Amino acid sequence: MGKTEHQKLKILYILELLYEQTDEKHAVRMRDIIAYLNQKGISAERKSIYRDLEMLQDFGVDILREQEYRGGYYIGSRDFELAELKLLVDAVQSSKFITQKKSRELIHKLEKLVSVYEAKQLQRQVVVTNRNKTINENIYYNIDMIYNGISGDVKIRFQYFSWNIEKEMELRRDGAFYEVSPLVLSWDDENYYLIAYDEEDKIIKHFRVDKMLKISLTRKKREGLKQFETFDIASYSKKTFGMFAGEEETVTLLCENDMIGVVIDRFGQEVNVRKADDMHFRARLHVAVSGQFYGWLCGLGEKVEIIEPAEMRENYVTYLQRIQNKYS
């Protein structure tokens, strides 16, 4: 690259220096800018650099100068504040569906949005208990492909796996491909789920995105959009309890008053509750009854009990006896 071409890049190198090396606590003086440009093979006078700085300010770059005589220059405001980036880094590190490798890559990109000095503060380690990272590195591309199917109004096809006792991936349907109409992506229980319409079974189903393999778009137009018009995603997520299937039932629970927070956290503020007596309240819920639902109740101990329907109450007692016998 010739000298003239180097000179054309001068203003860009000045901007690069400011973004990488400056913040409110770290400024660069004129001699620092000249030295940096010399490293890039560019000779520059102070007057030309002053003009470049003014042009960058006119363009909208928030370049500030320290108050003292011959003070240095630094970037004032950026697209993201340091506190916002810290929050994003914590979210990336603690996110279950992002692999360790991808977490490091994303955080490294976030570090480039601040100075090298502030980037050190983004090298954080969030301790999150009982949260294992996914191993499916393709989940990001899966999400992108699903969105392409939704925006393109076409069906998608994929393989779906589960884990066997040897901790190996085992393809469902002996490896046969699923073909569904993608409707929406849902974030529930720290996982991404695809909610889709299955034309073969004429119902809406859900799939964990990190368990989907070899996703591709078809040329077939999506179906099930009419059924989806009245579909309540929030209600669906609550009833399925982390996407574990079960028969939907209306259940009434008798709960001690200090359990109200637990019930609201699980079912939302719109949950149907009413006072039973001074110590208890009743909660009327619509849930998908499964072992996970009973497990949730079991974890709450004697503070919550099923009132009706009677058959479900009996099934829950049987469930508790089975658990007790298993570990006695």
Side-chain angles (χ1 to χ4, degrees):
M1 185 181 293
K3 182 178 178 181
T4 303
E5 292 174 318
H6 273 292
Q7 293 296 130
K8 291 179 179 178
L9 297 175
K10 178 162 66 75
I11 192 170
L12 296 178
Y13 281 128
I14 293 173
L15 184 63
E16 178 183 70
L17 173 65
L18 290 170
Y19 268 112
E20 289 183 357
Q21 300 292 332
T22 75
D23 52 49
E24 292 182 356
K25 297 181 179 179
H26 303 87
V28 290
R29 297 181 181 277
M30 183 60 66
R31 63 173 179 267
D32 301 319
I33 300 176
I34 293 174
Y36 185 79
L37 293 175
N38 284 334
Q39 292 176 8
K40 302 296 182 180
I42 300 171
S43 60
E45 297 179 350
R46 289 174 177 268
K47 288 184 179 180
S48 69
I49 296 175
Y50 286 136
R51 287 196 297 269
D52 290 335
L53 291 170
E54 290 175 357
M55 290 179 63
L56 289 171
Q57 289 172 323
D58 291 341
F59 185 68
V61 181
D62 187 23
I63 300 175
L64 302 177
R65 185 174 183 176
E66 292 177 321
Q67 294 298 317
E68 64 265 24
Y69 178 65
R70 291 186 178 179
Y73 297 88
Y74 63 95
I75 296 293
S77 61
R78 299 171 184 256
D79 290 338
F80 288 91
E81 304 234 359
L82 181 60
E84 294 172 331
L85 290 173
K86 287 179 178 179
L87 185 64
L88 292 176
V89 167
D90 289 350
V92 168
Q93 283 193 329
S94 59
S95 178
K96 183 179 178 179
F97 85 93
I98 303 179
T99 63
Q100 291 286 4
K101 178 175 178 289
K102 195 63 177 180
S103 291
R104 289 193 294 269
E105 292 175 358
L106 290 173
I107 292 171
H108 181 63
K109 291 178 180 179
L110 291 173
E111 289 173 355
K112 294 181 178 179
L113 298 176
V114 292
S115 71
V116 292
Y117 308 102
E118 291 183 332
K120 294 177 181 179
Q121 298 184 48
L122 298 181
Q123 297 167 7
R124 300 146 68 84
Q125 185 60 49
V126 181
V127 178
V128 185
T129 59
N130 300 321
R131 190 172 303 176
N132 298 317
K133 290 281 194 178
T134 182
I135 66 164
N136 187 356
E137 189 72 22
N138 292 322
I139 186 171
Y140 324 102
Y141 310 106
N142 289 354
I143 293 169
D144 188 50
M145 189 68 71
I146 291 169
Y147 276 126
N148 287 339
I150 294 172
S151 62
D153 196 27
V154 295
K155 294 182 179 180
I156 63 172
R157 65 194 307 266
F158 56 89
Q159 290 178 312
Y160 200 61
F161 76 85
S162 57
W163 296 103
N164 62 24
I165 194 65
E166 284 78 30
K167 299 181 182 179
E168 299 171 332
M169 292 190 301
E170 196 170 78
L171 292 176
R172 297 272 188 93
R173 295 184 177 179
D174 295 323
F177 278 80
Y178 291 71
E179 187 172 287
V180 299
S181 299
L183 299 174
V184 70
L185 280 167
S186 174
W187 175 260
D188 192 282
D189 193 27
E190 301 185 55
N191 289 298
Y192 262 121
Y193 293 90
L194 166 66
I195 297 177
Y197 181 75
D198 188 328
E199 172 63 20
E200 183 178 343
D201 293 334
K202 307 293 183 185
I203 58 172
I204 291 176
K205 295 182 176 180
H206 51 265
F207 305 88
R208 260 185 55 175
V209 176
D210 60 312
K211 293 187 176 182
M212 299 167 67
L213 302 172
K214 298 181 180 179
I215 298 182
S216 62
L217 304 180
T218 72
R219 295 185 178 181
K220 301 177 183 178
K221 190 174 178 62
R222 285 190 303 163
E223 299 173 302
L225 299 184
K226 280 286 185 183
Q227 291 88 329
F228 189 63
E229 286 179 358
T230 57
F231 184 74
D232 187 338
I233 298 174
S235 175
Y236 180 79
S237 297
K238 292 169 187 172
K239 286 186 291 188
T240 52
F241 265 81
M243 302 301 177
F244 280 76
E247 293 295 325
E248 185 176 335
E249 292 274 5
T250 299
V251 56
T252 300
L253 304 178
L254 181 66
C255 314
E256 292 187 11
N257 287 340
D258 61 354
M259 288 289 99
I260 186 62
V262 174
V263 173
I264 290 177
D265 286 344
R266 179 66 253 183
F267 297 97
Q269 287 186 311
E270 69 277 12
V271 64
N272 185 351
V273 298
R274 60 186 177 86
K275 181 178 179 180
D277 55 46
D278 290 340
M279 303 292 292
H280 300 84
F281 67 91
R282 291 174 181 262
R284 184 176 173 84
L285 314 170
H286 301 286
V287 300
V289 181
S290 64
Q292 189 178 10
F293 171 66
Y294 288 148
W296 178 77
L297 285 177
C298 184
L300 301 180
E302 298 178 352
K303 291 178 175 290
V304 178
E305 63 176 295
I306 298 176
I307 299 301
E308 49 185 36
E311 183 180 359
M312 186 186 298
R313 180 183 174 89
E314 293 173 4
N315 291 339
Y316 180 53
V317 171
T318 302
Y319 170 86
L320 293 176
Q321 290 173 343
R322 207 163 52 238
I323 296 297
Q324 185 178 11
N325 293 336
K326 183 176 181 179
Y327 293 101
S328 61

